[in-house]
Amino acid sequence: MPTPRQAALNMLNQVLTEGRLMSEAGVQRALEGLDGASKARAMRLANETLRNIERADKLLKSHLRKAPSPYVMNLLRLSTIELAQGGDAHGVVNEAVTLVSKHKKYGSMKGLVNAVLRKVAADVPEKFAILRAPRLPKWLRGPLSEAYSRDVVGAMEVAHHAGAPLDISVKSGAADWAEKLGGTLTPFGSVRLQDAGQVTALEGFSEGDWWVQDAAAALPAKLLNAKAGETVLDMCCAPGGKTMQLAATGADVTALDLSENRLKRVQENLARTHLTAKVVCGDALEHAGSYDAVLLDAPCSATGTIRRHPDLPHAKNGDTFGPLIELQARMLAHTASLVKKGGRLVYCTCSLLPDEGEVQVEDFLETHPDFAADTEALKRDGIDPEWITEEGGLRLRPDYWSALGGMDGFYIAVLKRAQ
């Protein structure tokens, strides 16, 4: 059975040397054999290391003549961050030495690992605390700096480094659930928990009274404002958070996704929450029908979710973003044909890049004169009017609500079709 540190190291190696995301099945297999608490610890260790690689490398630089192999370097990074955050020096150093000594190729490096980590342990907490918030890699920092000011990008980086509390959406009685779970209500009406622990053990999870969903991610379905009896399509619906929101309104919901495996998660979530939707496996570009309202959460770079997914900047390099942007434009145009006259369409992406948000909607409105941005729909509690963009959409950023713990980066537009 692996230890949490061993599992965390395995995940780090896959993200940093193979370019895999933490959510991928191969990476998640590193957690096999661990109980719930140990899995949570392994994930925390890996995520904290990914958030702090720049800091770890700076702290290690003075103790290394040259960079060792990626495996050994990742082990040193993992151990350094745990030491910096108060980990027991004896336990951290000893297990690191044990892990490298058992490696067939790098066992001879145990002396270096022991020597470096003992030096690091002597002063790392004090040095760690004064280092700047880690910067995004150049491939992402560059485009963001062109879209926003450097100060804004810096504020985003601080938010990314801080991580994210747990937000949940409830079927009803959000204020009551905030009190039961010791959380607070966000301005959008989600319940925010700062130290949630094991999610599945919390009151109301097994009963299906709520589901995990970032406050910003919950906003598109709220802005769609589905009503009982309306026909509603949730495009690219997995893992189902927005589907559950829409189903909870009493609307006649169709949940569409291309992946059968991801749809299994949607069906499991619907079953747990005792909500109903018609689940369909199919290509969004080929789907036919006519709906009162459609929600298109388009495939995107996911750059707005880095505070919760610190692996993304390390596993990606921006090469796939061009095809994604083209796909978004095609999906948005096709989705528009599914909206009834007088109906509404919400387009959203969990991206910070304007090419996946503001630019997409601006181009769409130029070629679809029967649609208009409905800025009135954006005038609701919790939304700062300054977040409304020139073309009539809504730009959310991770540095917003900084005193409350931030939010995911999102772009949302409510588009209304003429009668």
Side-chain angles (χ1 to χ4, degrees):
M1 180 185 297
T3 66
R5 291 187 183 109
Q6 187 176 359
L9 177 61
N10 188 335
M11 289 188 285
L12 285 175
N13 286 328
Q14 292 189 63
V15 171
L16 297 173
T17 65
E18 299 175 28
R20 296 187 178 186
L21 292 170
M22 291 274 279
S23 58
E24 292 182 22
V27 182
Q28 288 295 304
R29 277 197 290 272
L31 300 172
E32 290 179 358
L34 297 178
D35 60 26
S38 295
K39 286 181 181 178
R41 186 181 175 211
M43 288 292 295
R44 180 184 61 79
L45 289 171
N47 281 328
E48 285 303 306
T49 303
L50 290 166
R51 287 192 180 96
N52 287 284
I53 281 180
E54 179 186 300
R55 286 177 158 188
D57 289 354
K58 191 171 185 65
L59 292 168
L60 287 164
K61 186 176 181 180
S62 62
H63 302 300
L64 293 168
R65 292 181 181 178
K66 63 178 181 178
S69 68
Y71 175 89
V72 175
M73 190 65 186
N74 291 335
L75 176 59
L76 291 173
R77 288 164 166 165
L78 174 70
S79 303
T80 295
I81 296 306
E82 190 174 2
L83 290 169
Q85 297 182 337
D88 172 64
H90 178 76
V92 172
V93 175
N94 280 2
E95 184 164 355
V97 172
T98 298
L99 287 173
V100 75
S101 66
K102 291 181 178 180
H103 197 287
K104 292 180 180 180
K105 189 174 182 180
Y106 303 117
S108 62
M109 302 295 287
K110 65 180 182 180
L112 178 142
V113 168
N114 181 61
V116 168
L117 291 181
R118 289 194 181 281
K119 291 176 182 177
V120 168
D123 58 8
V124 68
E126 293 77 14
K127 289 183 177 180
F128 183 79
I130 62 175
L131 295 175
R132 72 183 183 191
R135 292 189 172 185
L136 292 165
K138 290 181 180 180
W139 68 261
L140 181 55
R141 199 172 205 271
L144 291 180
S145 296
E146 292 178 5
Y148 309 95
S149 71
R150 289 193 175 185
D151 287 344
V152 168
V153 174
M156 290 182 185
E157 289 168 332
V158 170
H160 292 157
H161 181 251
L166 182 79
D167 291 345
I168 63 173
S169 293
V170 302
K171 287 195 287 189
S172 62
D176 292 337
W177 277 108
E179 183 176 354
K180 287 179 185 178
L181 298 174
T184 57
L185 281 179
T186 71
F188 295 162
S190 299
V191 176
R192 175 158 290 184
L193 308 176
Q194 294 296 335
D195 297 299
Q198 189 174 342
V199 173
T200 56
L202 294 176
E203 181 182 355
F205 178 84
S206 297
E207 295 80 5
D209 294 313
W210 51 264
W211 54 92
V212 174
Q213 187 178 33
D214 187 82
L219 192 55
K222 293 178 181 178
L223 294 178
L224 189 68
N225 195 26
K227 299 177 178 62
E230 285 189 320
T231 55
V232 179
L233 173 64
D234 184 8
M235 286 274 224
C236 309
C237 66
K242 297 176 181 64
T243 299
M244 289 183 283
Q245 285 181 277
L246 298 171
T249 67
D252 180 9
V253 179
T254 298
L256 177 72
D257 201 274
L258 185 61
S259 169
E260 289 187 6
N261 284 333
R262 285 168 58 83
L263 282 175
K264 291 178 183 177
R265 177 84 177 277
V266 177
Q267 291 169 325
E268 290 170 358
N269 283 329
L270 287 169
R272 181 178 61 83
T273 54
H274 311 291
L275 294 169
T276 302
K278 180 183 178 182
V279 178
V280 178
C281 184
D283 188 336
L285 293 172
E286 298 177 359
H287 187 74
S290 181
Y291 299 89
D292 296 309
V294 180
L295 194 159
L296 171 59
D297 186 358
C300 71
S301 65
T303 47
T305 68
I306 293 173
R307 59 198 273 275
R308 289 186 295 111
H309 300 293
D311 52 319
L312 190 146
H314 303 287
K316 293 187 177 183
N317 60 14
D319 286 351
T320 63
F321 292 177
L324 273 176
I325 291 168
E326 293 177 7
L327 176 61
Q328 291 156 9
R330 291 168 60 203
M331 292 182 74
L332 183 53
H334 177 68
T335 302
S337 69
L338 307 179
V339 180
K340 293 178 180 179
K341 291 182 178 180
R344 56 206 185 278
L345 162 63
V346 164
Y347 170 80
C348 64
T349 57
C350 53
S351 170
L352 294 171
L353 300 171
D355 282 346
E356 299 186 277
E358 292 89 335
V359 176
Q360 288 284 17
V361 167
E362 184 177 6
D363 290 347
F364 171 82
L365 291 174
E366 287 182 0
T367 56
H368 292 77
D370 55 334
F371 278 86
D374 184 1
T375 55
E376 287 299 312
L378 305 180
K379 296 178 181 179
R380 57 174 296 152
D381 291 344
I383 294 179
D384 189 326
E386 293 187 1
W387 300 349
I388 299 175
T389 55
E390 186 175 345
E391 78 293 337
L394 184 66
R395 167 53 66 190
L396 304 180
R397 301 196 323 237
D399 55 308
Y400 291 163
W401 294 355
S402 57
L404 303 177
M407 67 172 77
D408 277 0
F410 253 87
Y411 176 82
I412 311 167
V414 182
L415 307 169
K416 193 166 184 179
R417 188 171 189 180
Q419 290 283 358

